[in-house]
Amino acid sequence: MIKLTQEHINVQQIIDSVYSNNAGAVDVFIGTVRNNTKGKNVVKLDFEAYEPMALKELKMIAKEAKEKWPVEKLSIVHAIGVREIGELAVVIAVSTPHRKASFEACQFCIDTLKQTVPIWKKEVFEDGEVWVDSTP
């Protein structure tokens, strides 16, 4: 499952989508909206994406992960639109035969997503807003 959504992200559905009898490990990354950044109170986040390119890049990330690790199944779901404090922004789940590969593939997916996928995040504060560069 590779998708962008304005709907609530269902973590259990994503975990279920990567379940495999061949996998002994499922690693899950859950990115949430926190209430502060650099000492400023965040009110909400607003995600925008160039959807056709974002989906293409997410599929490329999944393909590359499958080439590097023995991935059974992989799902990436990223929010678009407004997300309130505590809501989910992104969920990645990866199943592999063993845990090390699952951890590594999942970390590769989130790190690469942040670098290559055209999804932009606007942080909204009580006194203004700012578009955030996704790369650290």
Side-chain angles (χ1 to χ4, degrees):
M1 170 188 327
I2 304 290
K3 73 177 190 175
L4 302 173
T5 185
Q6 292 191 22
E7 304 299 319
H8 169 78
I9 298 176
N10 183 323
V11 175
Q12 189 60 54
Q13 181 183 43
I14 296 166
I15 292 169
D16 291 346
S17 77
V18 301
Y19 180 78
S20 167
N21 287 333
N22 295 325
V26 174
D27 190 72
V28 181
F29 172 80
I30 301 172
T32 61
V33 178
R34 65 181 177 270
N35 66 359
N36 68 80
T37 188
K38 298 179 183 174
K40 289 188 76 170
N41 290 333
V42 175
V43 176
K44 62 186 172 186
L45 298 181
D46 190 358
F47 293 96
E48 289 189 12
Y50 176 48
E51 292 188 42
M53 181 59 91
L55 289 169
K56 182 178 176 182
E57 287 291 323
L58 290 172
K59 289 174 185 172
M60 287 176 56
I61 291 168
K63 181 178 184 279
E64 192 172 344
K66 289 175 183 177
E67 290 168 354
K68 291 182 175 196
W69 294 277
V71 171
E72 290 292 323
K73 296 181 181 178
L74 188 151
S75 289
I76 304 171
V77 178
H78 201 295
I80 54 175
V82 174
R83 290 295 187 263
E84 302 295 331
I85 303 306
E87 285 190 272
L88 304 182
V90 59
V91 176
I92 299 170
V94 181
S95 62
T96 63
H98 303 284
R99 68 181 177 271
K100 183 177 181 185
S102 186
F103 283 123
E104 290 173 352
C106 194
Q107 182 171 3
F108 166 82
C109 289
I110 188 60
D111 289 349
T112 307
L113 180 157
K114 292 286 215 170
Q115 294 173 355
T116 66
V117 180
I119 298 173
W120 303 279
K121 175 175 73 173
K122 180 170 48 175
E123 290 179 326
V124 179
F125 306 103
E126 296 166 342
D127 62 348
E129 57 192 37
V130 63
W131 287 100
V132 179
D133 182 3
S134 64
T135 56

